Amino acid sequence: MIKHLFKLIWNQKRKNAGLLFELFFSFLVLFAVLTFIIYNLARYQEPLGFNYENVWQLDLSWNTLTGEEQFAAQELFQEHLKNYPEIEKFSFANRNTPYGNSMHINSANYGEKRASPHTFVVDEDFQSLYEIEVTEGSWFNRADMAAAIRPVVINEILKDELFGDEPALGKEFQAMGEDYARVVGVYQNYKYEGEFSEATAQMFLSPLEDHVFSTILLRLKPGTGANFEEKLLKDISQLVKGVTASVDYVDDNRKNKLLAVWLPMVIFLVISSFLIFNVALGLFGVLWQNINIRKAEIGVRRAVGATQTNIGWQFIGEVVVLSTLAVVLGTFFAIQFPLLGVFGLPVWVYLAAIVAAILVIYLLVALCAFFPSRQAAQLHPAIALHEE
C-alpha cells in the first residue's frame, strides 16, 4: 500500500512539488517560532526569586556634590527615610536593579577556576526588601561588613562554577580583579532582568566604607500613590541642595520588560498562523480538485470491491506520505541547530520545537484531508463512472 502511495505521488510530482515545498517551508517557520516560544515560556516558569510588588526605585543625581558631600547626604537620607509611615522598608543599591537596563559583569577567581558573574553592590537591607531567599548561610550584616575581608553572597550557579561540590560558606575568592571576598551566604534565584531572562552566575558584594550609592529602593505600604511621590521628591530636594531625584515604579518597569517579549511572540504567532492558514486552504483546494479529477479512478476502485474506508484512507495516506517527506526534509535542517549549537539554546528546546512542529503539520494535514477524503469515499461507483 505504501509503495503504491509513493508511486501515485511520483506520477503527479509536478503538482505535488509545490505542496511539498509549502509544507516544508511551513515546518521551518513553525520550528523557528516554536523554538522562540518554548524557550521563553520555559524561562517564564522558573522562579523569579524576589518580590517586586509595591517597590519604588528612587534614582539620585548628585550633580556638583563632592564625594564627601555625597556620602554625608546619603547618611542624612538614611535617617530621614525612617520618618515616613508610608515606607515599610528601604535599601541602598547601585543602578543595576530589577527590571532596569543596567548590568555590571565582573570577575571571580578561585584557584584556577574563573567566572564572570553579574555583580551587585548593595546594603544589608536589600535582601529583606526584595525578600530574596537565602538557601545556605545568611545575608551579610553590619558585623560581617566590619570584618577585614569583604562579605559576599553568591547564587548557586556561581557556587558550582567556582567551588563545584565543595561547601561554599567561608570560602574566600578573588572578586572584581583584586579584592578578596568571603562567602557568607548562597541563594538560588534572583532574575533581576525579568521573568524571561536566563539565570546567570551572580554575586552580591557589601559596600566599602566610603561607597556612595546611586539608587534608593523603597517598599511602600499598599495603596501609596502619586501624592506621596510628589511629597518625597520635594523633601529630598529641600533636604540636600544640589541633589535631584526621579521615581520609577518597579511594577511598571516589569510590565515593559514583559511586553518586550510577549509582543514579538504574539506577532510571530499571528504571522505563522496566517501562513499555516493559507497552506491549509491550498492543501484543501488541491485535495478537492484531486477528487474531481480522479472520479473515474474512484469509480473503478469501488466497482472492483474497494470499500468507502479504503478510498478514504487512500487519499489521506497520499497526503500523509507527502507531508512525511516534507517533515523529514525539514527535520534534517532543523536538527542542525542543536548539533551546531546555534544561538546557544538548550538542546531540549530545539527537540521540543521539532516535535511540536511535526505534530502541528500532521494535525493540519489530517484536518484538511478529512472532508475531501470523506467525499471521495461516499462517491457511488455508477455515478463516478457515468460522469466520466
Side-chain angles (χ1 to χ4, degrees), residues 20-35 275-276 279 323-335 350-351 353-362 364:
L20 177 66
F21 176 77
E22 287 183 359
L23 290 171
F24 165 71
F25 184 70
S26 298
F27 176 87
L28 292 182
V29 171
L30 279 171
F31 166 72
V33 172
L34 290 171
T35 297
L275 171 66
I276 297 303
V279 171
S323 60
T324 300
L325 293 174
V327 164
V328 170
L329 185 61
T331 302
F332 171 78
F333 286 97
I335 204 69
Y350 294 114
L351 298 180
I354 290 173
V355 172
I358 291 173
L359 293 177
V360 171
I361 290 294
Y362 278 121
L364 172 71

Side-chain angles (χ1 to χ4, degrees), residues 30-50:
L30 279 171
F31 166 72
V33 172
L34 290 171
T35 297
F36 178 67
I37 292 176
I38 290 172
Y39 173 74
N40 282 294
L41 290 181
R43 300 287 77 78
Y44 188 83
Q45 294 298 321
E46 295 174 349
L48 186 62
F50 63 93

Side-chain angles (χ1 to χ4, degrees), residues 287-295 298 315 372-373 376 379:
L287 291 173
W288 204 273
Q289 183 185 25
N290 208 9
I291 291 170
N292 291 327
I293 294 174
R294 298 168 62 184
K295 283 185 177 180
I298 296 171
F315 282 92
S373 62
L379 280 175

Side-chain angles (χ1 to χ4, degrees), residues 234-251:
K234 182 179 179 180
D235 290 350
I236 286 177
S237 63
Q238 292 178 349
L239 191 63
V240 179
K241 300 299 182 182
V243 175
T244 55
S246 61
V247 171
D248 274 336
Y249 300 101
V250 175
D251 189 48

Side-chain angles (χ1 to χ4, degrees), residues 12 15 18 28 62 77 80 180 189 195 223 235 259 266 272 294 312 357:
Q12 303 178 49
K15 183 176 65 175
L28 292 182
W62 298 110
F77 290 148
H80 187 72
Y180 275 86
N189 295 299
E195 283 84 345
D235 290 350
L259 184 62
V266 171
S272 60
R294 298 168 62 184

Side-chain angles (χ1 to χ4, degrees), residues 23 26 29 44 63 107 114 125 161 188 205 210 228 282 295 297 301 311 318 323 358 377 380-381:
L23 290 171
S26 298
V29 171
Y44 188 83
N63 299 324
S107 61
R114 303 287 184 270
D125 298 315
E161 290 183 4
Q188 185 172 11
L205 284 164
D210 57 349
F228 176 69
K295 283 185 177 180
E297 176 191 335
R301 290 203 61 199
I311 298 297
E318 289 179 20
S323 60
I358 291 173
H380 194 277

Side-chain angles (χ1 to χ4, degrees), residues 94-299:
N94 285 350
R95 289 202 191 277
N96 52 341
T97 51
Y99 301 109
N101 295 314
S102 177
M103 66 173 62
H104 182 200
I105 298 177
N106 220 302
S107 61
N109 306 324
Y110 179 72
E112 296 182 355
K113 295 182 179 180
R114 303 287 184 270
S116 300
H118 290 241
T119 305
F120 313 93
V121 178
V122 299
D123 69 5
E124 68 275 15
D125 298 315
F126 188 88
Q127 180 262 340
S128 62
L129 183 139
Y130 269 121
E131 300 176 6
I132 301 171
E133 182 181 358
V134 179
T135 55
E136 297 179 35
S138 62
W139 200 264
F140 48 77
N141 52 37
R142 287 286 179 179
D144 296 322
M145 293 163 63
I149 299 179
R150 197 174 186 181
V152 62
V153 182
I154 64 176
N155 70 344
E156 294 185 354
I157 297 177
L158 182 58
K159 173 190 172 184
D160 292 338
E161 290 183 4
L162 290 182
F163 309 116
D165 296 330
E166 299 179 22
L169 295 182
K171 287 285 198 313
E172 297 178 7
F173 66 93
Q174 199 172 21
M176 302 180 70
E178 299 178 0
D179 299 329
Y180 275 86
R182 179 173 57 87
V183 179
V184 297
V186 179
Y187 64 96
Q188 185 172 11
N189 295 299
Y190 174 65
K191 296 175 63 175
Y192 78 104
E193 293 179 284
E195 283 84 345
F196 289 113
S197 63
E198 187 173 1
T200 56
Q202 299 172 350
M203 63 180 178
F204 283 92
L205 284 164
S206 66
L208 299 175
E209 289 185 5
D210 57 349
H211 185 83
V212 176
F213 292 105
S214 53
T215 298
I216 305 175
L217 298 162
L218 311 171
R219 178 171 293 281
L220 283 302
K221 291 181 178 179
T224 304
N227 291 336
F228 176 69
E229 176 186 344
E230 183 179 356
K231 179 178 183 298
L232 180 63
L233 294 178
K234 182 179 179 180
D235 290 350
I236 286 177
S237 63
Q238 292 178 349
L239 191 63
V240 179
K241 300 299 182 182
V243 175
T244 55
S246 61
V247 171
D248 274 336
Y249 300 101
V250 175
D251 189 48
D252 289 346
N253 293 340
R254 172 180 177 269
K255 291 176 183 177
N256 292 333
K257 280 280 188 179
L258 292 177
L259 184 62
V261 180
W262 279 119
L263 189 59
M265 280 202 294
V266 171
I267 291 174
F268 291 154
L269 196 58
V270 169
I271 293 174
S272 60
S273 298
F274 181 75
L275 171 66
I276 297 303
F277 178 73
N278 280 276
V279 171
L281 289 178
L283 180 60
F284 190 83
V286 168
L287 291 173
W288 204 273
Q289 183 185 25
N290 208 9
I291 291 170
N292 291 327
I293 294 174
R294 298 168 62 184
K295 283 185 177 180
E297 176 191 335
I298 296 171

